[in-house]
Amino acid sequence: MGRDTRRSRLVIVALLIVAFTLITLDYKTGRSASGARGVVHSVLGGVEDGVTAVTRPIGRTASSLAHPNRYHDRADRLAQENAGLRRQLADNAEIGRMSKQLGDLRLIADKGQYSIVPAKVIAVGDVSGTDWTVTINAGRDDGVDVDKTVLNADGLVGTVSSATAHTAVVRLACDPGSRVGARLERTQLLGAVAGGQGPSALTFTLYDASYRVQKGDRLVTFGSMDYVAGVPIGVVTKVTDVGGLSRTAEVKPYVSVGTLDLVGVVVGRPAADPGDRLLAPQPVPTQPAPTQPAAPGTATPGTTTSGTIGAGQGGTG
């Protein structure tokens, strides 16, 4: 028993001596891997790497078990960052879309020499068929007042029916109570456009029953106390013949009620009637290629020239 204790002490002393020796060598040679330390490191390095490779996954698993919320928090943080990026992309797309709409609205206002107040549709009224209105986010404080003309980049939207300090209600052109003075582009004839046929159809009636309307005629406002002149309204799609007189027609409006977003309220009239400047150019019809006439004395397929007929007749006479 005493001998085993003595042997254990000798082993401990020997290990301490080796340890102090290695520390001394490491201090003198810095981080160099040469000499005795290099030999020991080369022998024990492989064992150390093997132990690390085995214990690292175990340590990670134990860490994940000890801190389960850490990975959930990271996943939540990544989800929030992803949602933020998506919102930023959506905001950028919305800014680009609104910028284009505003540019198109400014273009039509410049062509007509109108002074406008841009506004956004913020609410849709009762569209059950008896009342077609929308609410915009501009009001009296912005210069918007009752009976002002409202348009967008496509054409006539309607008129302001009521206004508060910061909002206004717009009666759409398709409203059953709406009646707009209109002028035909082709003939300059005057009439009136009325709503009541739904959001995609208006009714046009000429004032003078002795004239006729044709399919494809385009209409603009001719100007009145309520409407400024020159705003595109729509195109005639169907002519109604009543008692032999084609003075009534169905009109498809240029403005789509279902996609109303950015509009402009005309707060300043042009000095002169803009005429038809705001209408898009009509497409030029393609002309068929002219037919080349046949050369004199040349017979076309299936026919005989007059000279041949004369010769034949002379031979038989």
Side-chain angles (χ1 to χ4, degrees):
M1 185 69 176
R3 184 177 299 175
D4 292 338
T5 303
R6 191 180 303 110
R7 184 177 299 172
S8 299
R9 290 177 180 176
L10 291 176
V11 171
I12 292 172
V13 171
L15 290 175
L16 289 175
I17 293 172
V18 171
F20 282 116
T21 303
L22 292 176
I23 292 172
T24 303
L25 290 173
D26 184 69
Y27 176 77
K28 290 183 177 181
T29 59
R31 296 188 179 273
S32 174
S34 60
R37 181 178 181 274
V39 173
V40 174
H41 184 274
S42 62
V43 173
L44 299 179
V47 177
E48 180 184 359
D49 293 340
V51 172
T52 302
V54 172
T55 58
R56 181 179 292 119
I58 299 174
R60 289 178 177 174
T61 303
S63 177
S64 64
L65 293 175
H67 306 282
N69 293 329
R70 182 174 62 185
Y71 294 99
H72 293 295
D73 293 342
R74 185 171 182 272
D76 292 342
R77 185 170 63 255
L78 291 176
Q80 292 176 359
E81 292 176 358
N82 188 28
L85 291 175
R86 289 179 180 274
R87 284 194 299 269
Q88 184 177 354
L89 291 175
D91 291 343
N92 291 340
E94 176 67 11
I95 290 172
R97 187 179 65 83
M98 292 298 295
S99 177
K100 183 181 184 306
Q101 286 191 28
L102 184 59
D104 294 340
L105 185 62
R106 288 294 185 187
L107 181 61
I108 193 172
D110 290 344
K111 284 184 178 180
Q113 299 297 304
Y114 308 130
S115 297
I116 66 169
V117 173
K120 189 174 178 61
V121 174
I122 57 175
V124 178
D126 179 16
V127 291
S128 60
T130 59
D131 181 24
W132 290 84
T133 60
V134 295
T135 303
I136 59 176
N137 63 349
R140 296 185 185 276
D141 288 354
D142 305 296
V144 175
D145 207 345
V146 176
D147 294 335
K148 296 294 185 182
T149 304
V150 182
L151 50 78
N152 69 0
D154 297 320
L156 180 68
V157 174
T159 56
V160 177
S161 60
S162 64
T164 64
H166 303 293
T167 63
V169 176
V170 178
R171 172 181 290 175
L172 302 177
C174 63
D175 184 87
S178 173
R179 189 173 178 84
V180 184
R183 176 175 54 78
L184 290 173
E185 172 195 20
R186 181 177 56 86
T187 60
Q188 305 297 301
L189 295 174
L190 302 181
V193 169
Q197 303 300 318
S200 58
L202 304 172
T203 301
F204 174 70
T205 304
L206 277 172
Y207 289 146
D208 193 338
S210 62
Y211 293 96
R212 292 176 177 269
V213 187
Q214 293 185 10
K215 184 178 179 179
D217 284 345
R218 301 191 295 179
L219 296 93
V220 298
T221 57
F222 72 75
S224 63
M225 293 297 294
D226 298 337
Y227 290 88
V228 296
V231 181
I233 299 174
V235 59
V236 173
T237 57
K238 182 181 178 181
V239 178
T240 305
D241 192 349
V242 180
L245 298 175
S246 301
R247 60 185 293 258
T248 304
E250 185 176 296
V251 176
K252 180 181 180 181
Y254 290 126
V255 172
S256 174
V257 174
T259 59
L260 280 178
D261 188 11
L262 189 68
V263 300
V265 182
V266 180
V267 295
R269 292 172 174 263
D273 188 337
D276 301 324
R277 287 201 308 265
L278 277 68
L279 288 172
Q282 288 276 31
V284 179
T286 57
Q287 298 291 339
T291 304
Q292 295 293 335
T298 302
T300 57
T303 62
T304 307
T305 61
S306 59
T308 305
I309 294 174
Q313 291 173 344
T316 57

